[in-house]
Amino acid sequence: MFRLAICDDEKSSAAEAAELLEKYRKSRGGLEIKADIFYTSLDLLSAIEKNVYDIYILDIYIDRINGIELAQTIKKNNEDAQIIFMTSSNAFYKDAFRIHAVHYLEKPILEEDFFDALDRVCAIDETDAYFTFRDSGQVHRVLSSDIMYVESEDHYKRIVIGQDSYLIRSTMQEIKKELDEPYFYELGVKCLVNLKKVLKITKDYVVMEDGKEFNVPRGKYRILSEMVLKYTF
């Protein structure tokens, strides 16, 4: 389910966006979207202290905090937030581009443009695979593509994500089955590496982004190097 926030000080414009959203939801087979509407930037800022939204549809000219400033604050708290601007002016187009907005919709908003903007966001989310696991009594849900490598430690497996690592009780085959992505490669029976996270490869070893080295299995250098090139460029 997607959680979405609409913020526009003009109630008619907010209602129009909500109506387009409902049409979009129905046209995509009843896609699960829960939307909240806000008429001031302060109301939205207050809400995001307790709630996390996946998508924000923001008017540029809201009140004393404009849509660009509001988006910057949102991004500081949630860098994965997807921002869609709607406005009657193109004056802030460069600012929207700078903060990686998904789309910049000019009013009056065309249904086709609105649907295109939502498709971009939903397509991104649907193609992202997640891996859920429990470590030290806590449940973690991470993007599979963020996992750098999985290394066996007896009956446990260490999952490394950036500077963090987690220890879970599982078999390598169970993890490999769940991480059913072509860019994961099994180096022997004790290590599963994300080829997108390989920093360097030689005939003898691969170096991961954190500096960790793993031996290249005998006779696997050629196919492994080709796969690394495929998933890193």
Side-chain angles (χ1 to χ4, degrees):
M1 181 181 75
F2 297 93
R3 295 208 62 187
L4 184 147
I6 298 171
C7 189
D8 194 323
D9 61 337
E10 293 184 10
K11 292 187 177 182
S12 59
S13 293
E16 179 185 1
E19 183 178 342
L20 286 170
L21 180 63
E22 181 60 17
K23 286 184 179 180
Y24 175 81
R25 189 187 68 79
K26 290 180 179 178
S27 72
R28 297 302 184 267
L31 187 67
E32 288 189 72
I33 300 177
K34 184 181 184 303
D36 292 329
I37 299 177
F38 303 91
Y39 301 112
T40 72
S41 57
L42 292 179
D43 285 343
L44 176 56
L45 289 174
S46 177
I48 63 177
E49 291 180 359
K50 299 179 180 179
N51 302 309
V52 177
Y53 294 96
D54 306 300
I55 308 164
Y56 293 82
I57 300 179
L58 308 176
D59 183 30
I60 293 289
Y61 300 102
I62 305 174
D63 43 44
R64 60 188 181 130
I65 301 177
N66 67 42
I68 297 296
E69 295 170 329
L70 186 56
Q72 290 172 334
T73 300
I74 290 169
K75 283 285 192 177
K76 285 181 181 179
N77 295 319
N78 178 13
E79 61 182 14
D80 295 324
Q82 302 296 323
I83 308 293
I84 298 171
F85 288 113
M86 52 183 184
T87 181
S88 55
S89 168
N90 61 6
F92 290 89
Y93 186 85
K94 289 184 179 180
D95 293 306
F97 180 81
R98 180 170 48 81
I99 63 174
H100 307 293
V102 174
H103 214 313
Y104 192 95
L105 302 172
E106 290 190 42
K107 298 178 180 179
I109 299 170
L110 299 178
E111 181 177 301
E112 180 181 354
D113 293 339
F114 186 89
F115 281 24
D116 178 55
L118 266 295
D119 275 342
R120 294 184 191 185
V121 177
C122 296
I124 290 171
D125 193 86
E126 287 177 353
T127 56
D128 283 340
Y130 289 87
F131 180 62
T132 303
F133 59 91
R134 185 182 296 275
D135 171 69
S136 301
Q138 292 186 332
V139 175
H140 301 269
R141 183 172 183 261
V142 301
L143 280 172
S144 297
S145 57
D146 285 344
I147 297 175
M148 194 179 305
Y149 56 84
V150 181
E151 190 174 15
S152 182
E153 296 185 9
D154 296 325
H155 297 298
Y156 291 85
K157 303 297 174 286
R158 185 168 297 281
I159 298 173
V160 178
I161 304 171
Q163 299 298 315
D164 300 319
S165 70
Y166 307 88
L167 204 59
I168 68 172
R169 189 175 181 88
S170 182
T171 67
M172 191 63 77
Q173 289 305 311
E174 288 174 342
I175 294 175
K176 184 180 178 181
K177 182 178 180 180
E178 189 165 350
L179 292 175
D180 186 23
E181 299 291 343
Y183 50 81
F184 281 104
Y185 188 88
E186 195 169 12
L187 289 175
V189 297
K190 293 190 175 183
C191 180
L192 187 67
V193 299
N194 182 346
L195 298 177
K196 295 181 178 182
K197 303 291 186 180
V198 171
L199 190 64
K200 177 182 177 182
I201 179 170
T202 72
K203 291 184 178 181
D204 300 314
Y205 57 85
V206 295
V207 181
M208 307 306 294
E209 289 182 352
D210 65 346
K212 179 75 173 184
E213 295 184 5
F214 294 105
N215 293 330
V216 173
R218 186 185 298 269
K220 296 295 185 180
Y221 169 72
R222 183 176 178 180
I223 186 173
L224 186 56
S225 60
E226 290 176 351
M227 291 178 71
V228 168
L229 288 173
K230 177 180 178 180
Y231 290 111
T232 54
F233 293 96

